[in-house]
Structure formats: C-alpha cells, structure tokens
Amino acid sequence: LKIKVLGSGCKKCVNLEENVRQALDQLGKTADLEKVEDMIEISNYNVLKTPALVIDEKVVSSGKVNSVEEIKTFLD
Amino acid sequence: VFNKIADIIVYDWLSLDAQTHLSQSLHFFIYDSIKIGFLVVFVIFLMGIVNSYFPVDKVREFLNQKKLHGLEHLLASLLGAVTPFCSCSSIPLFIGFLKGGIPLGVTLSFLITSPLVNEIAVILFLGIFGLKVTLVYALAGILVGTFVGYFLSRLQLEDYLEDWVLEQLKQKIAHAKFVDERNFVERLPDIKAEAVDTFKRIIPYIIGGVAIGAFIHGYIPTGYFESYMGRDNIFAVPISTVLAIPMYSNASGVIPVIQSLVAKGIPMGTALSFMMAVIGLSLPEALLLKKVMKLKLILIYFASVAVSIISLGYIFNFIL
C-alpha cells in the first residue's frame, strides 16, 4: 500500500497527513506514507487543488482535508 | 447592536473617558472585531456551500468550451471572483488550467481576480462602506482581471513560463473526476469543517487589521493624511500602490485599515488602490509565481496589474 499526500506545505496538508496516520492506526494497517511537496511531481497528478490524497498512484481526493472516517473508507 | 456592546464594555465595564485616544481606539477595536467577526463567519459558511456544489474543476470545464465568443477573459475573471481562493492552491490551479488547454491570458484573468474580489471582501465592503462603493469595487476588480489577462494574451508570453511547466504542458491529461452524490445534509460536516479551517486561517489577519485600524482611529488626528495623501497630491495614488507591494495581507485584514484611513481624510480611490495592491501584488506571491514563471513574465505581470490599479485609483477619486 502506497499513500501520498500532495501539498506545498500549508497547514491543511499537514492536517491531512495526520488524519491518514490516524486512519491507518485505527485500521491496524501499515503503508508507505509519503508527503510530496515538489511542484513538478504534484502537477504530474493533475490535481487542481491541494491537499490531495493519492492511494496506489490513484488520486482519490483533492482540495480538502478528508476526515479520518472518510480515509478509512478509501483504505478498505 | 454592535455599537451598544462596545459602548457597554468600554464606558461601563472599564469606565473609560470617551474623550481619550485609548478609549476611542479600544471602542473601534471591539466594535469592528465583533462586527467583522460575525460577517466573516456568515460568509465563509456560504462560501463553503458554493464551493461544495461548484468546485473548481467545473470552472475549468466551463472555461474550456470553445464557444465563448471572445468573452473568455471576462468570464474567467467573473468565475475568479466567485471561486473561493486559497493562495496555497494557486500553483496547482495555474498548472491545471494550462494543462487543461486554457490559454495563459485567460488563466491569468482568473488568478488576478480571484484574491481581489471574493465573497469575504464583498460582504465586508457592504457592511462598512455600503452598496455603491461595494459595486464599484467589485466591478473594478473584475475589470482589472479581464483587461490585464487580455493584454497579456496579446503579448504571447507562453515562452516565459518556466521550462518544467512547458514540459508539463506537452503531456495530455487524463481527467480525474470526483462526482459528489451526497445531499446537502451529508455535505454539511465537510462544509462546516472547511469553514472552521478558513476562519482560523484568516482570524489573525482580521485582528491585526482591526488593531491597526483602531490605532489610526484613536491616535491620528482627522485630516492628518490630507496634507500628504489628500486629493491635491496627484502622486498619492501611485505612491500608495507602490507602498502596498511589500505588504501582505488578505481582504479581511486590509478593510479595517482603509476604513480608518478614509475616515481620516484619504480619498476613497487612493485607499482602494492601496487595498488592491496589498491583496493583488505582494512579494510572497511573486516568490510563489517564480516557481512557474520566468522573471520577465513576473515583471510584466506585476507592472500591468500595478498600472491598472493606479488608473482605477484615479478614476475612483474622480467618481466617488
């Protein structure tokens, strides 16, 4: 499982990363979690708004801080 | 109502003399904080609803139609005014629009207007300066975006984008679509979370802006600025625009400041130029744009926005 949080380092992105960690903890899963701040790499995912959440190279959400509950549904 | 609350706190609870500088500043601070606080809470909630139903990928889709009859700059500017803006998203948005096939000039029309005219600015203007000034301001902001974007598209500046951006533009994009089928009640928790987040982000600017406004209100004598920045000084508009470039704030932080400046004798047009330059032109923004634009393009972009802000300042001083 590979998870990426895309964002240029604003507060929302930090919050999203934290929520992902919590969701993983609660599900008892481990994943390769990476925070992507490089603009070139972010733009390769074609997101219009950050933060964005990428699971196994698929963009599942963009422009919002997903709740822990919502992230759990992505991970299942 | 807000005035009464401020009266009670300052004159009854703290029993300050109404004539002192301190009490006048404090009264302004309390009154404006409460009033602006209420207005802002109301607006960001409203913005959250708009954003939930009218997200930015729909905006891009709309602007990408080929049949806009030459109105694309105006439409981009209008949509920029309506779309809630977060500066941390401006680069992905910029790249995303260009990659989606929207011309550079049209993308810039959107990006110029988006911070200048937004729901928060409009509601605060309405609450403080009334309908006429609000309409003139909103119209002016939309025109700045429209004309500067149009002007820049005439100049064919695509080559002055950074190389990696040009590289990106060669890739075709696969549209990632998120269709949101939730009803209003199901969307509410997200809208609320977003609103709380926005509020936390802008509240320091509001407090800072109101504090500066309160200081000017209480301590600077009426007419003080008139001798330097009044109607007689024809350089007042360009000077205040240039002074504003190093300053960085958002609309909710600048409005309480210019409210006091206008009350102390600065003409409305000069004040509005100052405000537009603080919001629309700033060094942090230039640094952000540096990632996607070569220096020459940034300079042309800043210069043309500055020139239109200055021209509008003169026009405002003439008509308001």
Side-chain angles (χ1 to χ4, degrees):
Chain A
L1 195 61
K2 254 190 112 169
I3 302 176
K4 287 178 182 170
V5 174
L6 314 182
S8 48
C10 56
K11 196 167 169 294
K12 283 184 181 179
C13 321
V14 180
N15 293 346
L16 179 59
E17 192 186 1
E18 182 52 40
N19 285 357
V20 173
R21 274 186 212 289
Q22 278 187 32
L24 285 169
D25 271 355
Q26 288 177 20
L27 291 171
K29 287 192 177 182
T30 52
D32 183 7
L33 177 58
E34 188 191 347
K35 189 147 180 302
V36 179
E37 295 189 0
D38 179 49
M39 279 299 163
I40 302 175
E41 205 183 334
I42 291 175
S43 60
N44 281 330
Y45 288 98
N46 298 312
V47 293
L48 283 177
K49 283 182 137 185
T50 54
L53 187 60
V54 178
I55 297 177
D56 285 333
E57 297 305 305
K58 188 172 173 289
V59 182
V60 293
S61 156
S62 146
K64 67 175 198 176
V65 179
N66 310 86
S67 66
V68 176
E69 288 307 313
E70 195 181 356
I71 298 169
K72 278 186 185 169
T73 64
F74 292 144
L75 291 172
D76 267 341
Chain B
V1 186
F2 300 133
N3 210 359
K4 274 231 174 75
I5 298 173
D7 278 347
I8 292 170
I9 296 175
V10 178
Y11 305 133
D12 296 350
W13 294 358
L14 299 172
S15 41
L16 289 172
D17 181 355
Q19 298 309 317
T20 65
H21 291 315
L22 178 69
S23 70
Q24 284 175 4
S25 283
L26 202 63
H27 188 277
F28 180 97
F29 183 78
I30 293 167
Y31 172 76
D32 252 36
S33 305
I34 302 174
K35 181 172 169 179
I36 292 178
F38 266 98
L39 288 172
V40 163
V41 167
F42 169 73
V43 182
I44 53 185
F45 197 73
L46 212 67
M47 267 164 66
I49 297 172
V50 172
N51 203 19
S52 179
Y53 283 92
F54 194 60
V56 74
D57 45 321
K58 284 202 185 129
V59 172
R60 178 171 68 172
E61 225 168 276
F62 178 81
L63 286 176
N64 218 358
Q65 307 169 55
K66 293 296 170 224
K67 44 182 191 303
L68 294 174
H69 310 290
L71 291 175
E72 57 269 22
H73 289 282
L74 179 63
L75 288 168
S77 185
L78 279 170
L79 287 167
V82 180
T83 314
F85 176 78
C86 169
S87 59
C88 51
S89 267
S90 60
I91 298 297
L93 200 75
F94 181 81
I95 306 279
F97 271 37
L98 292 178
K99 265 176 127 174
I102 295 171
L104 178 61
V106 179
T107 304
L108 288 174
S109 283
F110 181 90
L111 274 183
I112 292 166
T113 311
S114 200
L116 280 184
V117 184
N118 60 53
E119 289 84 344
I120 294 179
V122 166
I123 290 287
L124 291 184
F125 256 94
L126 264 178
I128 292 173
F129 297 112
L131 185 64
K132 186 182 158 199
V133 177
T134 308
L135 286 178
V136 172
Y137 176 79
L139 190 69
I142 290 166
L143 289 180
V144 169
T146 307
F147 285 121
V148 174
Y150 178 76
F151 172 69
L152 294 177
S153 69
R154 297 274 101 181
L155 295 180
Q156 310 273 331
L157 297 164
E158 279 77 1
D159 290 344
Y160 297 108
L161 291 168
E162 281 292 343
D163 297 331
W164 72 267
V165 178
L166 293 171
E167 206 53 46
Q168 281 281 327
L169 299 189
K170 289 179 194 148
Q171 301 173 11
K172 279 284 149 238
I173 63 165
H175 275 282
K177 279 246 167 85
F178 309 104
V179 182
D180 195 342
E181 283 163 343
R182 296 173 302 167
N183 66 30
F184 185 68
V185 178
E186 289 167 321
R187 285 170 192 239
L188 259 182
D190 268 359
I191 295 172
K192 205 184 114 207
E194 180 79 33
V196 171
D197 217 61
T198 310
F199 188 72
K200 282 189 196 150
R201 189 161 48 79
I202 64 175
I203 197 76
Y205 291 100
I206 297 177
I207 303 280
V210 174
I212 297 171
F215 175 80
I216 297 170
H217 178 85
Y219 287 88
I220 292 182
T222 312
Y224 173 81
F225 292 111
E226 237 151 77
S227 35
Y228 307 104
M229 290 290 190
R231 247 165 230 285
D232 303 334
N233 183 350
I234 52 161
F235 296 112
V237 175
I239 290 171
S240 56
T241 304
V242 172
L243 278 179
I245 293 178
M247 300 182 197
Y248 174 69
S249 177
N250 54 30
S252 41
V254 198
I255 291 175
V257 178
I258 68 161
Q259 177 190 6
S260 282
L261 291 176
V262 168
K264 298 289 175 180
I266 293 217
M268 193 55 136
T270 312
L272 289 181
S273 290
F274 177 77
M275 167 171 168
M276 285 187 166
V278 171
I279 306 173
L281 298 173
S282 68
L283 293 180
E285 199 205 335
L287 289 177
L288 206 63
L289 290 175
K290 186 79 194 61
K291 288 180 184 165
V292 289
M293 295 177 182
K294 287 178 185 152
L295 189 63
K296 187 170 173 186
L297 178 53
I298 297 181
L299 291 176
I300 296 174
Y301 170 84
F302 264 53
S304 38
V305 175
V307 167
S308 33
I309 288 176
I310 292 168
S311 334
L312 278 168
Y314 284 116
I315 297 171
F316 282 148
N317 278 345
F318 189 69
I319 60 172
L320 286 174

